[in-house]
Amino acid sequence: MELFPEESQWGLLTAAGLREDFQAMWIEGDDIDAIAAGLKLDPTATLECDLATALRWSGVGARTPILWMGEHSPGWTFALVVAGSSVDQSLPDRRVFDLWYLREIGEFSGSGLYGEEGLDDLDLNDDQGDEDDLDPHLIAVGRLTGRFIDRDWLAERRTLCRVSAEARTP
C-alpha cells in the first residue's frame, strides 16, 4: 500500500456530495451484524443503497441517527452518520476511528488515531482543527485500515440504517 492516496480523501468525499456536517467511524471488525447490534441499530429499518441515495437523508431534520454502513476493507467496517445527532460509539474490544466536522462553526475533531504507529509524517498534532485538517486524518485512517477512499469505494453499496427506538429511549 502506498503512503499517500492518489486523490485528496476529503476532496473525493465532497465531490461525492458530503458538503454539510460530517461524522464517520471506521470500526475494527468484519461482522457487520455484531457491529450493528453494538451500535443499537434497528435491523428492520434498512435499505441497501449507494452514497448518493444515503445523502438524500442528510438535512431532513431527523433526530434519529441514520447511518450508511458497510465494509470498508478486510477487518474494517465503515459507518457514516447521514442524519440525526451523533452516535454512541462505545464498542468494547474494538478500535474505532471517529472523525467529525461541523461546517457551520468550522470545527473538526478526531479520535482513536493518536499513538498509532506509522503516522509521524502526517500533521496530526492535535485532535481538533478546521476543514483543512480532515485530509491528513483521512489519510491516517486509510493507512491504518489498509484502504484509502477512492472512486470504487465511493461507488459501493452499503446499508442505510437507523438507531433503534429502544436505544433512543432515556
Side-chain angles (χ1 to χ4, degrees), residues 23-27 39 67 77-79 81 87 89 96-98:
Q23 182 187 4
M25 297 174 287
W26 289 260
I27 305 160
L39 292 172
L67 284 74
T77 297
F78 175 75
V81 179
V87 174
Q89 60 184 2
V96 176
F97 304 127
D98 179 39

Side-chain angles (χ1 to χ4, degrees), residues 61-132:
R63 286 188 271 171
T64 302
I66 299 172
L67 284 74
W68 184 60
M69 185 174 136
E71 180 184 338
H72 172 68
S73 64
W76 290 92
T77 297
F78 175 75
L80 173 69
V81 179
V82 295
S85 58
S86 63
V87 174
D88 176 12
Q89 60 184 2
S90 54
L91 295 167
D93 304 321
R94 293 188 191 273
R95 287 192 304 171
V96 176
F97 304 127
D98 179 39
L99 302 179
W100 60 262
Y101 174 66
L102 300 175
R103 183 176 299 278
E104 184 176 315
I105 60 174
E107 188 171 314
F108 161 79
S109 181
S111 64
L113 294 173
Y114 307 98
E116 295 285 339
E117 297 288 323
L119 305 177
D120 296 341
D121 62 326
L122 298 173
D123 188 15
L124 304 177
N125 297 332
D126 197 342
D127 65 349
Q128 293 188 333
D130 59 22
E131 188 170 358
D132 294 336

Side-chain angles (χ1 to χ4, degrees), residues 8 28 31 38 43 54 70 72 103 107 118 122 131 133 140 142 145 153 159:
S8 163
E28 187 174 40
D31 188 343
H72 172 68
R103 183 176 299 278
E107 188 171 314
L122 298 173
E131 188 170 358
D133 295 306
T145 62
W153 184 94
T159 303

